[in-house]
Amino acid sequence: MPTVDLARKPVLEGRLVRLRPFSVDDVPAMAEILSDPEVRRLTGSVESTAEAEEPEPVDERLTSWYATRAEQPDRLDLAVVDLATGRVVGEVVLNELDADARTANLRCLVGPEGRGRGLGTEALRLLCEHALGPAGLRRLTLEVFEFNPRALHVYETLGFVETGRRPDALVFDGVSVGAVDMELTAPTG
Ligand SMILES: CC(C)(COP(=O)(O)OP(=O)(O)OC[C@H]1O[C@@H](n2cnc3c(N)ncnc32)[C@H](O)[C@@H]1OP(=O)(O)O)[C@@H](O)C(=O)NCCC(=O)NCCS
């Protein structure tokens, strides 16, 4: 049985993007991306339009978060670099590792500069191939809100299948929003 390894932080190169470990130098770019109202709304970080429009503060918490991502033994956070510009446009993450079950949760976000050009799909494909290959995982899970048809489409393109729905996963601007649970399993099971 393969050993699960999220401690090793790889550099994964595609045609459009490079995934690489974070350093503290990425804090300003990530603060800008995390301030994007669409990112804030679609990742469930906020519960109202007013909150979505507040910028992410560049503070000690954010600085320390990105400064320490490359040291985490039980999760994998990689910056998405747009190869056309060399700039960080987002992140892909494996968290909530269950090493015995060989499962982890997947998260991703791409800021406005990178969206709609195929970068997110390629970044997620690279991450899934690594996760279900060298990283030794058997199954990836994720949650996506029903009001995010673009992300749903991308996950389906990558082979994720729906495993359930939760009708009241989030309340946004006072309206209940459902979430879809999805999973992707390694070809060998
Ligand atoms: C979801 C996300 C990672 C996708 O990355 P991206 O770089 O924008 O996506 P891509 O350009 O690679 O692909 C988008 C696909 O969705 C399709 N799409 C765009 N808008 C759509 C919509 N409203 N409904 C259905 N499909 C849509 C595009 O046609 C494209 O599909 P195709 O490759 O088959 O033509 C990115 O948009 C993002 O991070 N958004 C904000 C935060 C977020 O939603 N995170 C995920 C939380 S679960």
Side-chain angles (χ1 to χ4, degrees), residues 47-66:
E47 293 180 353
S48 70
T49 302
E51 230 188 307
E53 283 163 4
E54 287 167 17
E56 180 79 19
V58 184
D59 57 12
E60 180 51 37
R61 189 199 60 84
L62 193 76
T63 304
S64 141
W65 179 261
Y66 285 104

Side-chain angles (χ1 to χ4, degrees), residues 26 125 141 163:
D26 298 314
R125 181 169 287 125
T141 59
T163 55

